[in-house]
Amino acid sequence: EIDKQILSQKDGMLSVKENGERKLLVFRSFPKWNWIFVGKANLSDFETAKTVLRNNLLLATTFMVFLMIVIIGLVIKKVVTNPLQNLIQRTTDLSSGNGDLTKKLIVVGNDEIAQASKGINNFIEKVRLLISDAKNLATENSSVAQELSTTTLEVGKLVENSTAIVN
């Protein structure tokens, strides 16, 4: 019966049961020689190969996903986290200790962190100028107060002299 099907179809595949096992028959005709080649394999062999291939693909996919997560994490750390930590450290240094307003934040690139650093640098410069102006005004006020004190002493002496002359 199988032979008749192969001879009638000439090319194709058949699934048959032989000795309780499922088999796959693949056949192809070669009319030039009047031959038909037939190949036979156990379907269980294909199932085993399919299972092994599926498991290997799952393992490779899992490894690639893990590798991508690590790479993305490293890129995020380099691009976002490290500059943010640098910004936080420098602003902490600026706000603690002597409050040295001559220090500036390092600006690298033109991203949001660089823009925040520029803004902080501008603010620090304005505060430094305000403090410088306040120091200059304090020095001027001190000079004016010194002059007023001297003038007051002179006026006081002149009043005493005038009082002594009148008496």
Side-chain angles (χ1 to χ4, degrees):
E1 174 181 323
I2 294 173
D3 294 343
K4 289 179 185 177
Q5 278 185 320
I6 291 173
L7 289 173
S8 68
Q9 287 182 3
K10 306 271 184 198
D11 293 326
M13 276 192 279
L14 291 176
S15 179
V16 295
K17 206 170 206 181
E18 185 178 280
N19 298 330
E21 287 187 41
R22 293 192 64 211
K23 308 271 183 175
L24 181 66
L25 298 175
V26 179
F27 50 94
R28 179 169 177 109
S29 67
F30 291 91
K32 184 176 180 180
W33 300 297
N34 198 23
W35 287 0
I36 297 177
F37 286 104
V38 179
K40 177 168 58 171
N42 291 331
L43 281 177
S44 63
D45 292 342
F46 292 111
E47 291 294 323
T48 303
K50 179 183 79 170
T51 303
V52 168
L53 179 63
R54 183 194 69 219
N55 291 344
N56 288 342
L57 285 174
L58 283 173
L59 184 64
T61 302
T62 303
F63 176 74
M64 292 302 290
V65 166
F66 177 74
L67 185 64
M68 291 300 292
I69 288 171
V70 168
I71 289 171
I72 289 170
L74 291 173
V75 168
I76 288 173
K77 181 174 172 58
K78 181 168 176 60
V79 172
V80 176
T81 306
N82 286 349
L84 265 178
Q85 287 177 342
N86 184 26
L87 178 64
I88 291 167
Q89 179 62 41
R90 291 191 179 271
T91 54
T92 302
D93 289 347
L94 284 172
S95 65
S96 64
N98 296 332
D100 185 2
L101 297 178
T102 59
K103 290 183 181 177
K104 299 281 184 180
L105 298 176
I106 297 171
V107 178
V108 179
N110 199 23
D111 58 2
E112 291 82 2
I113 295 169
Q115 291 173 3
S117 296
K118 286 178 190 176
I120 291 170
N121 283 342
N122 291 339
F123 176 73
I124 290 169
E125 182 63 21
K126 285 182 182 180
V127 169
R128 189 187 65 74
L129 290 174
L130 283 172
I131 290 173
S132 177
D133 288 347
K135 283 181 182 178
N136 290 338
L137 286 174
T139 302
E140 285 179 28
N141 286 343
S142 177
S143 295
V144 169
Q146 185 66 32
E147 284 181 36
L148 283 173
S149 176
T150 304
T151 304
T152 303
L153 286 175
E154 288 176 9
V155 168
K157 286 181 185 176
L158 289 174
V159 168
E160 285 179 17
N161 289 341
S162 296
T163 305
I165 294 174
V166 171
N167 288 339

